[in-house]
Amino acid sequence: MNDLFKNMPSYETILVIMAIPLFLILIFLLIWCVIKKRTITTLLPFFLLPIIMVAYPAIKSVKVGNIVIDNTSQVEKLTGIVSNNPGDTVAVAKLKNAVVQLKNTKGVEQSGNALLAIANAQIAIGRYDSASLYLNKAEKVAPGMERIDSSRRVLVRRIKLK
């Protein structure tokens, strides 16, 4: 059970722990309404609340109107483009902007995946000191991630080539 909450920030753990009793209460109320032959339509929308509370840590992007708030997938996609074609100045500029946005996102320092995405982006751009710094931060936040070691090997290889 401890492994389930190991890489979660405390607020996400609290959300999950609070969602479980809420869901159980809603199930009880649903059964009670069915037994008493009352309408359940007013109760059904409340089932979204515990689902959102549990799914919140896994949400990668949120779309509100025309604005898309995307955590790491945009940075990872642009990192792949820049790694394959380092001479693409438009992609490099977009990657730099995406990294700045990701750095300014609340809670990025507590997410191993986000820190690793920033480190990989810094490697692709050629900022090896910054990449090493973010790899160290990612290793402190999520010490068991295998992708950190592979990114570190790529970083060492790039430093040797330089």
Side-chain angles (χ1 to χ4, degrees):
M1 185 79 161
N2 193 22
D3 291 341
L4 178 67
F5 301 118
K6 187 170 85 174
N7 289 329
M8 277 188 182
S10 59
Y11 70 92
E12 290 176 0
T13 305
I14 292 169
L15 280 175
V16 170
I17 290 172
M18 289 174 53
I20 294 169
L22 180 62
F23 184 74
L24 293 174
I25 290 168
L26 286 169
I27 292 290
F28 172 76
L29 289 173
L30 181 69
I31 293 170
W32 185 76
C33 286
V34 169
I35 291 173
K36 296 291 184 177
K37 296 185 179 174
R38 295 188 181 184
T39 180
I40 61 170
T41 56
T42 56
L43 190 60
L44 292 178
F46 291 103
F47 276 94
L48 289 175
L49 188 61
I51 292 170
I52 291 171
M53 289 170 71
V54 170
Y56 176 74
I59 295 173
K60 295 261 185 199
S61 65
V62 177
K63 185 173 183 178
V64 180
N66 293 333
I67 301 169
V68 176
I69 303 166
D70 192 359
N71 288 345
T72 59
S73 60
Q74 182 70 17
V75 172
E76 290 170 351
K77 184 177 91 174
L78 289 170
T79 300
I81 293 170
V82 171
S83 294
N84 292 335
N85 188 7
D88 188 354
T89 56
V90 174
V92 171
K94 286 181 180 179
L95 178 59
K96 287 179 181 178
N97 288 335
V99 167
V100 168
Q101 288 176 353
L102 184 58
K103 284 180 182 178
N104 293 332
T105 303
K106 182 180 177 187
V108 74
E109 296 291 326
Q110 299 170 346
S111 172
N113 289 329
L115 292 170
L116 184 61
I118 294 171
N120 288 333
Q122 300 292 11
I123 292 170
I125 294 171
R127 297 179 181 162
Y128 302 130
D129 292 336
S130 179
S132 178
L133 177 72
Y134 278 97
L135 280 174
N136 291 336
K137 287 181 181 181
E139 195 166 31
K140 287 179 185 174
V141 171
M145 284 181 69
E146 295 175 12
R147 296 186 307 156
I148 294 173
D149 293 332
S150 63
S151 294
R152 192 172 302 280
R153 285 191 294 271
V154 169
L155 176 62
V156 169
R157 197 175 322 122
R158 293 265 180 102
I159 291 172
K160 286 181 181 177
L161 285 175
K162 188 176 179 183

